[in-house]
Amino acid sequence: MTHFTKLLPILLGGSVLALTASMASAQTDITVAIQLEPPNLDPTGGAAQAIDSVLYSNVFEGLTRFMADGSVVAGLAESWEISDDGLTYTFMLHDGVTFHDGTTMDAEDVKFSLDRARAEDSINAQKGLFADIADVMVIDPLSVAVTLTQPNGMFLFNMAWGDAVIVAPESIENIASNPIGTGAFAFTDWVQGDRLELTRNDTYWGQPAALEAATFRFISDPTAAFAAVMAEDVDAFVGFPAPENLPQFEADPRFQVLVGNTEGETILSMNNKMPPFDNVLVRQAVSLAIDRQAIIDGAMFGYGTPIGTHFAPHNPDYVDLIANSTYNPERARELLTEAGFADGFATTLKLPPPSYARRGGEIIASQLRAVGITAEISNLEWAQWIEEVFTGKDFGLSIVSHTEPMDIGIYANPEYYFQYDNAEFQALMVTLNATTDPATRSDLLAKAQTTISEDYVNGYLFQLAVPTVAKAGLNGLWLDQPTAAVDLTGVTWSQ
Amino acid sequence: MIRYIASRLLSLTLSLIAASIVIFAVIEVIPGDPASFMLGVNARADTLAALREQMGLNDPLPLRYFNWVTGMLTGDFGTSWTYKTPVADLVNDRIWVSLPLAIYALFISTIIAFPAGIIAASRRGGMGDVSIMGATQLGVAIPNFWFAMILVLIFAIKLRWFSAGGFPGWDNPFLALKSLTLPAVALALPQAAILARIMRSSLLDNLGEDYIRTARAKGLTRRQALWRHAVRNALIPVLTIIGLQFSFLLAGGIIIEQIFFLPGLGRLIFQSISARDLIVVESVVMLLVFVVIVVNFAVDLAYAAVDPRLRSRA
């Protein structure tokens, strides 16, 4: 008994100490939810954005990389030199970089990665990024020279894509299930259908991550997403699928809501080869018949930035061309009459699954009906949409968000699904690609944006927003999404 | 009896062959090229061709069907196109969520339905009967996903007794069962309502039979007659329904698995259909068909064991 009475204060004091210690130590892990699960973990072998969401910058790194604001900075390449003719890029690599399996990352790995991506039997979904590469040559373990067939002002940008990350021949065979990269986090476990776990790479060559561990969970159902955040099962939900719930989170002191921009230009695409959309007056009429603010409010609960051309408003080279297609149904009707469609016409509106398309489609169909255009809606699944609309070009109108960064070049491809064929624009893109001077590039980009806006190639609706709901106290998450990444390397908890 | 079992086995085999042809045919005609789905909108023609070749999509349909069926017979379900892992592994992971969930739900449904059905039947027309029948009416009418949302709202968001979803794995059986509880309850309630109504009507049918009258005449009270004779006989149609419900619960939890983001078979099918991972869809659906057919076979055998007339008829 006496022993116990003596011990009691010590015990009490100890537990109080332990308690304070646990309260003072900040949380060192994070559970992030995203909507889609990556089908596999190979960023160089498929188009699924969810692969980048989980692995970009966390596990895999490229020669260059995107920052949160969309700028491109050095990655595994410490620096580079561009030859005067713009054809040879010599990359100097960081010293002492190792893959998570302990093997060294050197010039041979860079050559392996780039050669593999551009090989004939490559299944890289963005093979076009590597199309201009003529040769990759190892100079010494830390420098590699990439020679292009023609100057490409986008080359450093292209090398920042998730599809251009550096992989190693030693670990390539199992990359789809056991990704081995050079990033600040190493892959630990993937319970398919449920979660994927990363742990901090303590031998990281750069600034190590503050978080010790990260878990990704995959929750696609909007109701389930709401419940998971409210029940605090997850610390953050990037790309929260139910914008209608955001005001509720904003009002709750437990949470913070970040609404950022993506690279997704959401457009009402028109089949430029199919009558009557081959007539610019008709395309203009369609553009003027659309009230984009009503679509943003109705389909996106107000989240989204209006655009007037196919370019991201947060890009420094963006030109505001919204005035070209200000909502004006009277003028739209006049234009239709001028084009010989005084009584309007009927067409198809084929919609992929995302809610911006399905909800937006209903609104657009009713706006078009008001000027005499009957758009028959059909809802397609993604695979069906790709087959019918994208590959088959069997559509009048469609709504889709083009999420690839800096993709105005698609307008120079007459085979692209909206089939815009303008030799002048194509020449402009050739010049742009060959130009490396920033000021000249800006001028050319401005001209390109204006051309497609004034040609009314598509109806330009809004830049897709990405809402993130996070617990209060979580810092360093990307606000915007210059690429589909949930970069956790700079994330910290404040206490 | 041997002839009976042989004839049942033959019809089981024929059903499986027919099902495999139908499943393969239906799933192969779904529009949407799996390869172009995987590579997305920036895919180049040569990349697509390379992938289609890798996936075996260029083989003729009969050959693909043959490869699929013969593979399954040897336990090789193929390799998932999108997950790039063997389908058998995928199924093996998922079945340890879906199967326990189905059994758990069936258990809950039975322990609610049996007493409810018996009480309702034994107090026919009384307050107990009326209120139980009212409740089952609601239970049948209200879909399980709605129950699921209400359960999440109350027990996960308000009370914080359960997490809103997810599955921690079987390393800790208590946590695993805990995470399956809300989904199991949501799945079980409509099933319990159906089962209770069938239990009640089956009991009432039996209570009107001659053997009950005989039992009563021998001096048993109504309650004794019900417990000793009627309940046992009333179980036969109830067991049939339980067999059907089990198949339904195993395959039909898709929406519940979505709501509770459980990594089960239903969610696997759902994800695979949207990703056009046809080999996974085909194999999992075939597996479910197999389970249903085998459960039916077992029920047939159980009937024969109970009812000798069936044996002689075959």
Side-chain angles (χ1 to χ4, degrees):
Chain A
M1 185 67 197
T2 44
H3 279 296
F4 183 74
T5 34
K6 272 182 196 164
L7 269 175
L8 194 64
I10 303 170
L11 280 173
L12 276 176
S15 46
V16 168
L17 266 179
L19 199 67
T20 22
S22 72
M23 280 169 70
S25 69
Q27 191 176 345
T28 53
D29 63 343
I30 190 174
T31 303
V32 187
I34 55 174
Q35 257 191 291
L36 294 178
E37 176 172 24
N40 63 72
L41 305 177
D42 177 7
T44 63
Q49 290 204 341
I51 305 176
D52 275 348
S53 298
V54 175
L55 302 176
Y56 186 83
S57 172
N58 296 329
V59 173
F60 286 113
E61 297 172 301
L63 292 171
T64 56
R65 61 160 293 177
F66 292 115
M67 296 300 282
D69 63 355
S71 57
V72 173
V73 299
L76 290 174
E78 194 174 32
S79 59
W80 49 82
E81 277 164 16
I82 307 171
S83 63
D84 290 340
D85 58 5
L87 286 178
T88 305
Y89 286 67
T90 309
F91 291 97
M92 268 66 78
L93 305 176
H94 278 282
D95 197 2
V97 181
T98 53
F99 284 99
H100 299 140
D101 62 357
T103 57
T104 313
M105 193 290 300
D106 58 20
E108 290 292 346
D109 296 305
V110 174
K111 178 173 169 57
F112 169 75
S113 303
L114 296 182
D115 284 348
R116 176 173 170 267
R118 64 197 187 93
E120 200 169 324
D121 61 349
S122 155
I123 53 164
N124 193 302
Q126 309 293 345
K127 209 169 161 183
L129 296 177
F130 313 93
D132 287 345
I133 299 181
D135 183 46
V136 185
M137 196 176 70
V138 174
I139 301 172
D140 63 58
L142 292 180
S143 37
V144 60
V146 181
T147 314
L148 306 182
T149 49
Q150 54 184 340
N152 183 342
M154 293 288 283
F155 186 66
L156 291 172
F157 182 90
N158 290 352
M159 288 302 105
W161 282 54
D163 308 76
V165 293
I166 302 305
V167 291
E170 294 90 342
S171 49
I172 199 69
E173 200 182 331
N174 296 319
I175 188 177
S177 55
N178 184 22
I180 306 263
T182 54
F185 290 93
F187 166 80
T188 22
D189 193 20
W190 180 21
V191 181
Q192 279 169 346
D194 190 49
R195 64 186 184 277
L196 187 143
E197 288 166 8
L198 307 176
T199 41
R200 183 166 63 196
N201 170 14
D202 288 322
T203 57
Y204 184 56
W205 60 273
Q207 170 82 31
L211 296 169
E212 283 169 13
T215 303
F216 281 90
R217 306 206 70 142
F218 314 107
I219 305 173
S220 53
D221 183 75
T223 319
F226 175 74
V229 178
M230 283 301 273
E232 298 186 33
D233 284 357
V234 298
D235 297 315
F237 202 121
V238 179
F240 189 78
E244 58 273 28
N245 290 331
L246 292 178
Q248 195 174 343
F249 290 120
E250 272 166 356
D252 192 328
R254 290 181 295 159
F255 304 110
Q256 48 177 328
V257 175
L258 314 164
V259 181
N261 265 325
T262 66
E263 286 295 315
E265 290 84 21
T266 309
I267 61 172
L268 173 68
S269 42
M270 298 187 233
N271 192 336
N272 281 239
K273 277 251 167 71
M274 180 196 267
F277 300 111
D278 54 351
N279 183 337
V280 66
L281 294 176
V282 171
R283 298 200 300 265
Q284 186 180 359
V286 169
S287 297
L288 298 188
I290 298 166
D291 179 359
R292 26 170 113 71
Q293 197 54 47
I295 299 163
I296 296 172
D297 291 342
M300 306 307 293
F301 292 84
Y303 298 100
T305 313
I307 51 170
T309 184
H310 197 109
F311 216 72
H314 50 258
N315 190 301
D317 288 328
Y318 175 74
V319 186
D320 186 349
L321 296 161
I322 291 173
N324 280 344
S325 46
T326 309
Y327 178 52
N328 189 344
E330 290 79 31
R331 180 75 190 121
R333 252 179 253 118
E334 287 170 22
L335 285 163
L336 282 178
T337 313
E338 239 175 277
F341 294 95
D343 299 327
F345 60 89
T347 186
T348 55
L349 177 54
K350 298 194 172 176
L351 305 174
S355 58
Y356 65 75
R358 295 282 166 89
R359 290 173 180 172
E362 301 286 343
I363 301 170
I364 286 181
S366 88
Q367 290 176 352
L368 290 179
R369 207 173 304 127
V371 299
I373 302 171
T374 314
E376 190 200 330
I377 291 181
S378 48
N379 291 330
L380 308 179
E381 278 183 77
W382 267 124
Q384 215 180 341
W385 184 88
I386 289 176
E387 183 167 295
E388 246 177 70
V389 178
F390 192 80
T391 317
K393 298 166 184 115
D394 174 20
F395 76 108
L397 299 169
S398 181
I399 300 175
V400 73
S401 202
H402 285 256
T403 50
E404 281 72 25
M406 276 289 280
D407 58 350
I408 196 167
I410 56 180
Y411 288 77
N413 175 6
E415 298 299 312
Y416 207 69
Y417 76 108
F418 42 72
Q419 300 174 90
Y420 172 60
D421 193 354
N422 177 345
E424 206 181 314
F425 186 88
Q426 288 152 19
L428 190 66
M429 280 295 125
V430 172
T431 321
L432 177 74
N433 282 339
T435 309
T436 43
D437 173 54
T440 323
R441 283 185 65 85
S442 289
D443 289 346
L444 291 168
L445 280 171
K447 194 164 174 222
Q449 294 173 56
T450 314
T451 308
I452 57 169
S453 177
E454 288 174 352
D455 264 352
Y456 299 94
V457 182
N458 293 307
Y460 299 104
L461 305 175
F462 55 88
Q463 196 73 18
L464 196 65
V466 54
T468 296
V469 185
K471 279 190 189 162
L474 191 64
N475 313 306
L477 282 170
W478 279 12
L479 175 71
D480 295 326
Q481 278 198 345
T483 188
V486 183
D487 184 341
L488 298 176
T489 52
V491 171
T492 55
W493 286 99
S494 55
Q495 203 64 28
Chain B
M1 188 67 183
I2 291 171
R3 267 190 60 198
Y4 176 75
I5 293 177
S7 83
R8 292 288 94 190
L9 269 177
L10 181 70
S11 91
L12 179 150
T13 314
L14 290 177
S15 310
L16 282 177
I17 293 172
S20 73
I21 295 173
V22 170
I23 289 168
F24 189 80
V26 167
I27 290 172
E28 292 293 330
V29 299
I30 294 179
D33 174 21
S36 59
F37 177 81
M38 276 176 71
L39 289 179
V41 295
N42 276 13
R44 291 149 49 108
D46 55 341
T47 325
L48 261 177
L51 183 64
R52 288 186 63 88
E53 189 60 42
Q54 270 191 27
M55 291 165 80
L57 284 171
N58 293 336
D59 295 342
L61 270 188
L63 178 67
R64 287 171 55 202
Y65 173 76
F66 181 77
N67 288 341
W68 176 58
V69 170
T70 48
M72 276 199 300
L73 289 177
T74 57
D76 175 13
F77 288 73
T79 303
S80 157
W81 295 333
T82 52
Y83 285 109
K84 297 189 177 159
T85 43
V87 178
D89 291 357
L90 284 175
V91 171
N92 191 34
D93 287 344
R94 307 300 181 97
I95 199 125
W96 292 111
V97 177
S98 293
L99 192 65
L101 177 63
I103 294 172
Y104 195 178
L106 202 61
F107 173 73
I108 296 174
S109 135
T110 322
I111 57 167
I112 296 175
F114 275 31
I118 293 171
I119 292 170
S122 61
R123 301 182 187 163
R124 187 181 188 179
M127 270 304 287
D129 186 21
V130 172
S131 45
I132 286 172
M133 282 303 100
T136 56
Q137 190 79 34
L138 266 181
V140 172
I142 296 173
N144 54 20
F145 66 85
W146 189 83
F147 274 131
M149 289 178 198
I150 297 298
L151 291 174
V152 168
L153 209 61
I154 297 173
F155 294 102
I157 295 178
K158 277 271 175 279
L159 296 172
R160 309 283 288 272
W161 291 353
F162 294 89
S163 60
F167 184 72
W170 284 103
D171 299 340
N172 181 336
F174 172 75
L175 282 182
L177 277 181
K178 192 179 164 197
S179 74
L180 291 182
T181 300
L182 291 187
V185 170
L187 273 175
L189 288 179
Q191 304 300 322
I194 296 169
L195 210 56
R197 293 178 79 86
I198 287 164
M199 185 78 196
R200 174 183 179 271
S201 63
S202 170
L203 263 177
L204 287 177
D205 285 350
N206 274 286
L207 285 174
E209 294 280 325
D210 288 344
Y211 71 90
I212 295 290
R213 207 169 304 138
T214 313
R216 293 290 303 278
K218 282 162 70 185
L220 263 63
T221 63
R222 189 178 150 83
R223 178 152 302 186
Q224 284 167 329
L226 180 125
W227 279 104
R228 284 188 204 164
H229 297 285
V231 167
R232 272 179 62 187
N233 283 305
L235 278 181
I236 293 175
V238 171
L239 287 177
T240 314
I241 299 296
I242 289 181
L244 288 175
Q245 286 193 344
F246 180 72
S247 315
F248 169 79
L249 288 172
L250 190 60
I254 297 185
I255 298 176
I256 294 296
E257 285 177 8
Q258 282 291 108
I259 291 179
F260 290 97
F261 42 105
L262 293 173
L265 281 181
R267 198 151 170 243
L268 178 65
I269 298 182
F270 189 82
Q271 286 177 325
S272 308
I273 291 176
S274 31
R276 284 299 181 278
D277 199 344
L278 304 186
I279 187 92
V280 175
V281 183
E282 286 161 358
S283 302
V284 177
V285 172
M286 194 61 214
L287 182 81
L288 292 171
V289 168
F290 179 75
V291 170
V292 172
I293 289 179
V294 168
V295 167
N296 276 345
F297 177 68
V299 169
D300 280 350
L301 289 188
Y303 280 167
V306 175
D307 191 343
R309 284 171 299 179
L310 279 174
R311 278 176 256 165
S312 51
R313 212 180 291 163

